[in-house]
Amino acid sequence: MTVVGLISKNDESAYREEVQRLMDWCRANNLSLNVNKTKEMVVDFRRAQSDHSPLNIDGSSVEIVKSTKFLGVRLTENLTRSLNTSSIAKKAQQHLYFLRRLRKVHLPPPILITFYRSCIESILSSCITASFGNGTISDRKTLQRIVRSAEKIIGVSLPTITDIYTAHCIRKENSNMKDPMQPSYNLFSLLPSGKRLRSIWALTVRLCNSFFPQAIRLLNTRSLD
């Protein structure tokens, strides 16, 4: 379970009340929170930062950490992408071993490309629409090196990591424009074919580079088995 609170004007009352309601719900449903596995991360970009007192659950203080894993993505308190990129790169490099083994048994390139797209590219494109656009040049080069290694193993050209990112952004926004329930549904308007792609690209980059100038507190909780 995850609780996310937006702290404005140093008022944490709403956030702490939400945590208290979660604790009450757990007690009512015969669940006991494991405080040792419960972590809290504070994201604060304000110039005048203040100390954040830890939460207290059943008499124990919740540990405040500098990074956490949220929906498969490594998040840090400064919202940099390097930790998540290194985690993705490590996992993708492990799958390159299997690609080399398949190459050694002389499988044809179409089968190798299918394996690459399903087991390696799927890792590289994990949450790419949210993380790649705001990543550093070093992070992009790290991911691109894995693509080049796969190209050498298979012996064919593969889409670059930037091409993968662009394709995922366009596919995601095309899906959002068809769903009125999506928050970004009204952000896009259909334009003639050459202008439409530029409008999607410009707005996607602007949204990726923006953030709220308030503190965000994210609490990951786990229950005892």
Side-chain angles (χ1 to χ4, degrees):
M1 294 176 287
T2 303
V3 178
V4 181
L6 178 63
I7 311 302
S8 181
K9 298 180 181 179
N10 292 325
D11 185 9
E12 300 183 3
S13 58
Y15 169 70
R16 294 183 179 273
E17 289 174 2
E18 188 66 28
V19 175
Q20 184 61 45
R21 282 194 290 268
L22 173 62
M23 295 168 56
D24 295 339
W25 181 88
C26 290
R27 295 191 188 97
N29 290 272
N30 298 320
L31 292 175
S32 178
L33 292 180
N34 191 336
V35 183
N36 294 329
K37 292 185 177 181
T38 299
K39 309 298 180 183
E40 186 184 27
M41 187 181 74
V42 181
V43 180
D44 194 349
F45 287 101
R46 296 173 299 180
R47 293 182 179 179
Q49 297 185 11
S50 58
D51 294 333
H52 300 278
S53 57
L55 292 171
N56 189 283
I57 297 179
D58 295 332
S60 301
S61 297
V62 176
E63 180 185 1
I64 298 180
V65 296
K66 295 184 178 181
S67 64
T68 186
K69 192 173 183 179
F70 179 60
L71 297 178
V73 179
R74 296 284 181 178
L75 297 178
T76 59
E77 61 180 359
N78 55 5
L79 296 185
T80 56
R81 312 297 182 182
S82 298
L83 180 61
N84 186 61
T85 299
S86 61
S87 177
I88 291 176
K90 181 180 179 180
K91 188 175 181 181
Q93 287 171 350
Q94 292 173 347
H95 285 70
L96 285 176
Y97 166 79
F98 299 104
L99 185 62
R100 294 188 181 95
R101 297 293 297 179
L102 294 176
R103 179 64 178 176
K104 286 185 177 180
V105 298
H106 306 292
L107 289 179
I111 296 181
L112 297 179
I113 293 175
T114 300
F115 177 84
Y116 164 78
R117 291 185 62 91
S118 60
C119 297
I120 299 177
E121 185 179 293
S122 61
I123 296 174
L124 298 177
S125 60
S126 175
C127 199
I128 192 171
T129 56
S131 61
F132 184 82
N134 216 21
T136 63
I137 296 178
S138 176
D139 293 339
R140 300 182 184 187
K141 289 182 178 179
T142 299
L143 299 178
Q144 183 59 34
R145 279 196 294 268
I146 297 175
V147 176
R148 287 200 298 267
S149 298
E151 286 180 334
K152 294 178 181 178
I153 296 172
I154 300 174
V156 299
S157 297
L158 298 171
T160 65
I161 193 66
T162 302
D163 293 337
I164 296 172
Y165 166 68
T166 303
H168 276 73
C169 286
I170 295 176
R171 184 163 60 247
K172 181 64 175 177
E173 296 310 326
N174 284 336
S175 175
N176 290 346
M177 287 188 291
K178 296 177 182 178
D179 186 2
M181 301 301 295
Q182 284 288 342
S184 60
Y185 175 75
N186 295 322
L187 295 179
F188 297 92
S189 58
L190 296 179
L191 298 175
S193 176
K195 299 181 180 178
R196 181 182 179 190
L197 177 60
R198 289 195 296 271
S199 67
I200 292 176
W201 176 262
L203 187 53
T204 301
V205 172
R206 191 160 65 249
L207 290 176
C208 289
N209 293 335
S210 64
F211 60 86
F212 294 100
Q214 292 101 346
I216 298 175
R217 299 188 72 162
L218 184 147
L219 176 71
N220 277 343
T221 65
R222 293 186 180 183
S223 58
L224 291 171
D225 295 333

